[in-house]
Amino acid sequence: MTGGELTLGAVPARLEERESDITAQAETMREQVGQLTAQLDEPGRAAEEVRITRKTLLGLPDPGPPAPPAPRLPDHPADQQIMAVFTAADHPLRAPGRCARPWTWRSRPTTSTTSASSSSGWPAAGS
């Protein structure tokens, strides 16, 4: 008997060994199929989440134009005092009664009178 020949008693042992190898290969392949199935499910779930997000966002109302920025409040102490007066007032305030602006020579009222001063108390033009 040569090394490549099997005896009748060795055939069942060899078949059993071959069956064990095939069973082990099949189990390894099943594990790989399970891993690949899990990997295949992940993109499917991610795609479903994206579809849900898109559907949710499309269902939201348009936000409209953004709100304008808040106006810059004056930070000088005098400005803050003026703002406090306006805030504390319980009735409308009139600027002529609250502040005086000196006339400049260009905005000074001109009069047609020849007196040294006009009725407003300012010297007449040309005086």
Side-chain angles (χ1 to χ4, degrees):
M1 185 158 108
T2 62
E5 295 176 20
L6 293 175
T7 61
L8 194 53
V11 170
R14 181 77 179 192
L15 288 174
E16 190 175 316
E17 181 182 316
R18 178 77 178 128
E19 182 183 3
S20 295
D21 289 344
I22 293 172
T23 304
Q25 286 178 348
E27 186 59 35
T28 302
M29 289 180 183
R30 281 188 193 95
E31 289 175 7
Q32 290 175 346
V33 167
Q35 291 172 353
L36 291 173
T37 301
Q39 290 176 1
L40 183 61
D41 288 344
E42 289 176 24
R45 279 191 297 263
E48 181 64 23
E49 290 172 0
V50 169
R51 281 191 289 274
I52 291 169
T53 301
R54 180 180 44 235
K55 182 179 177 183
T56 302
L57 291 176
L58 291 175
L60 294 175
D62 289 335
R72 189 187 73 79
L73 296 176
D75 55 354
H76 190 273
D79 293 331
Q80 292 175 356
Q81 290 173 352
I82 293 169
M83 294 303 290
V85 168
F86 282 117
T87 303
D90 59 351
H91 59 283
L93 300 177
R94 294 189 50 168
R98 300 294 175 245
C99 59
R101 179 176 176 212
W103 293 95
T104 61
W105 72 273
R106 289 181 183 244
S107 63
R108 181 176 55 188
T110 58
T111 60
S112 60
T113 62
T114 57
S115 66
S117 67
S118 68
S119 62
S120 66
W122 288 97
S127 299

